[in-house]
Amino acid sequence: MHPTDFDFLGLRGRIWLAAMLFVSLALFCYVMWRRWQLLARGGPEDRFHEWGKRLVNTFLYFFAQRGLFKDLFAGLMHAFIFWGFLIYAVRTVSLFISGFAPSLDIPVNVWGNLYFFAKDAFSLLVMLGCLYWLYQRLIAKKARLTLSGGAIFILLLIFMLMVTDLLLDGALFALEGNPRGAWAFASGTAAWLLTQVGLNEAALSSLHFASWWFHLFLILVFLNYLPISKHFHIITSLPNVIFYKTAPQGRMTKLDVEGAFERNEVLGLQTIKDLSWRDILDLYSCTECGRCEAECPAHLSGKVLSPKEIILELRDHAYEEVPLFGKAKEPQDVVPLAVKPEEIWACTTCMACVAACPIQINQLDKILAMRRNEVMIKDKYPSHFTDVFKGFDGRGNPWNMTAEVRLEWAKGLNVPVMSQLQPTGANPATEVEYLFWVGCATAFEPRNHKIARSLVQILRAAGITFAILGEEETCTGDPARRIGHEYLFQMQAQQNIERFNTYGVKKILTVCPHCYNTFQNEYPDFGGHYEVVHHSQLIAQLVKEGRVKLTKELHQTITYHDSCYLGRYNKVYDAPRATLDAIPGTRRVEMKRSREKGMCCGAGGGLMWVEEEPEKRVNDRRLMQAMEVKPEIVATACPFCMIMLEDGIKNKSLPLQDKDIAELVAESMEVDQAP
């Protein structure tokens, strides 16, 4: 009797198959119900809008696996397994149906044959992918990969699924012939090999029977292993990608601080209940691939932080509170029970982890939420932030400097101040094209004065009118917000917006990417809507239009360091490079870590005011990356980066200069620069 006859399984076999399916699906549904209960603990979050963006994102990051191809070969190996999984979904359903009704199988026609060709091709590619990842874990022992029994088990299980699939088809084709011809090339090859070893009809029938049963058994094991392992991402990655963050990545969530204090509500992330449902979906979806860890500057410099471990610690804590069996437990604080305080305070907020994740998990939002809770609810934070908060509270800036110091950079330049303008219209801002927002790091750090002075010279050469706030300028509040003090940030934001309204400000020119990001992405939540331009963007435009003419050849090799808040946060990569390329005589070289993969200088997230351990300084590591391409100048477009890289150059006595884009352009314009 051939395996394709209706009585291939017989009544008893079909009863066993139905029982297997019932038990397996019942167990799967129970586990998924418990996972749903945990998800339901999360708070509300509106991710049900902008469906056009969501559909495009789903195609790119789920179906096309775009996030994996930042590491081309490794990404391809994983994509083979993923695409094979999608293709095998049809095969899986057809095999179960064939147990009850063999006639309802994939038809032998053009479409059925095309499907079999794809299935056979991907059976080989999936096995190749499994072997590659087994090699990476067991032999190469790639640092970012977690060596776990679960990972090895699932790779072997997937490999065996492909083997049993080829064997069950190969045995059948050896018995009855291959009706699909060359379309089923891998299965046909398996059939030829089986006949070559001399298996008789009874042996081939038994092999087909055993392979069929074992294959279906493995599928059911695989199904039930998914939601209790890191491979849960196979189920959750699709909704995770669909409900990604469509708002600008550089925008933190606005909190009702005063209302929360009045209602005695929690601010930030204190227990698992303070996560949103989408945050919990993030925890479910982590593949433990370590791509975030491999890009994290804190981790690379030897600090305790690993973005991957943050997600896993939160996930394990959540699983303990809502176990698969037994009652849910009372929520407990995630810091320090699950996450160590030193982990969250090591973060530079560079967002490299978020950019690296192939399924768009947001590790940074959770770190910042924990910071908010530690600062505003528990009043616990590293002692070096005490002076930063005092500076904000007393003088409106983290440097704790007096207002008159803000004008020291402009001595002798006769820079117009907004309060001194005599408007012909309703507001002083009508007299100038831009409010030049100098920023604290530029105004208070003597090294950065030259950046502002160079920019003034460029603006005047191009005929751009501008004014500054002078002593009325205060910090945007970005450092306070990233450290976790939302209340101080909102005070600064409201004060600045009121002042901008007084002067009728519409267009803001910034030097600092942190200020740029805050005005562009965060002030709109508080009613502050402006056209914001970073100085690297404006300079590139002026050079392109010929309003700024670069005539002096500099004859130097330059590498450009991407600021995180300009690059990853706001996708400004090309403008600074276009300007550098326009300077005659220069040769620009790229560091290995550049653009989206660029490494942080170490100043973000409040770490500007933290004295790092000498052997764990992020800026030193970044400079070593720069030295690999042998530049004479490291070009920057951020005053924070300037400070950090200057310190590193001095500490390491490197034969290197650090110059801002504006300084290099001013040099090439042959404009006399005041010291």
Side-chain angles (χ1 to χ4, degrees), residues 44-45 47 245 247-257 279 365 368-369 372 376 481-482 486 489-490 521-522 525-526:
E45 185 173 1
R47 296 288 180 102
K245 182 179 179 179
Q249 289 286 5
R251 179 186 296 168
M252 287 180 64
T253 305
K254 179 183 178 182
L255 300 180
D256 180 10
V257 179
D279 288 325
D365 279 358
L368 293 174
R372 282 171 153 177
M376 291 187 290
R481 191 174 222 196
R482 262 65 195 180
E486 178 74 8
F489 164 75
Q490 292 192 13
N521 296 320
E522 301 192 323
D525 284 342
F526 301 88

Side-chain angles (χ1 to χ4, degrees), residues 288-321:
E288 301 181 27
C289 69
R291 286 177 172 83
C292 58
E293 184 180 272
E295 299 298 325
C296 174
H299 182 79
L300 291 173
S301 62
K303 297 183 179 66
V304 69
L305 172 63
S306 162
K308 178 181 76 173
E309 292 303 321
I310 290 283
I311 296 297
L312 298 183
E313 287 161 356
L314 290 173
R315 183 196 68 188
D316 292 346
H317 184 77
Y319 283 173
E320 288 176 8
E321 291 194 352

Side-chain angles (χ1 to χ4, degrees), residues 640-651:
F640 280 92
C641 295
M642 174 66 76
I643 295 166
M644 299 300 290
L645 297 183
E646 281 281 306
D647 286 349
I649 290 170
K650 291 175 183 176
N651 290 336

Side-chain angles (χ1 to χ4, degrees), residues 1 43 403 468 534:
M1 182 178 293
I468 63 173
H534 187 260

Side-chain angles (χ1 to χ4, degrees), residues 344-350 368 371 385 478-479 482-483 514 564-565 569 600-610 618 638 640-641 644:
I344 64 173
W345 296 116
C347 178
T348 66
T349 69
C350 70
L368 293 174
R371 284 186 173 191
F385 291 135
D478 165 78
R482 262 65 195 180
I483 293 170
H514 296 255
C564 303
Y565 278 69
Y569 272 69
C600 181
C601 72
L607 271 66
M608 176 73 190
W609 296 275
V610 176
V618 174
C638 171
F640 280 92
C641 295
M644 299 300 290

Side-chain angles (χ1 to χ4, degrees), residues 534-541 560 566 571-581 595 661:
H534 187 260
H535 78 300
S536 66
Q537 295 173 305
L538 181 59
I539 291 171
Q541 179 186 339
Y560 176 65
L566 191 62
K571 310 303 179 189
V572 180
Y573 296 115
D574 295 329
R577 288 173 169 82
T579 298
L580 293 174
D581 291 342
R595 301 181 75 91
I661 298 285

Side-chain angles (χ1 to χ4, degrees), residues 28-47:
F28 176 77
C29 290
Y30 172 79
V31 174
M32 289 298 292
W33 173 62
R34 294 296 284 176
R35 293 292 186 244
W36 175 262
Q37 286 184 313
L38 174 54
L39 190 73
R41 273 197 168 196
E45 185 173 1
D46 181 15
R47 296 288 180 102

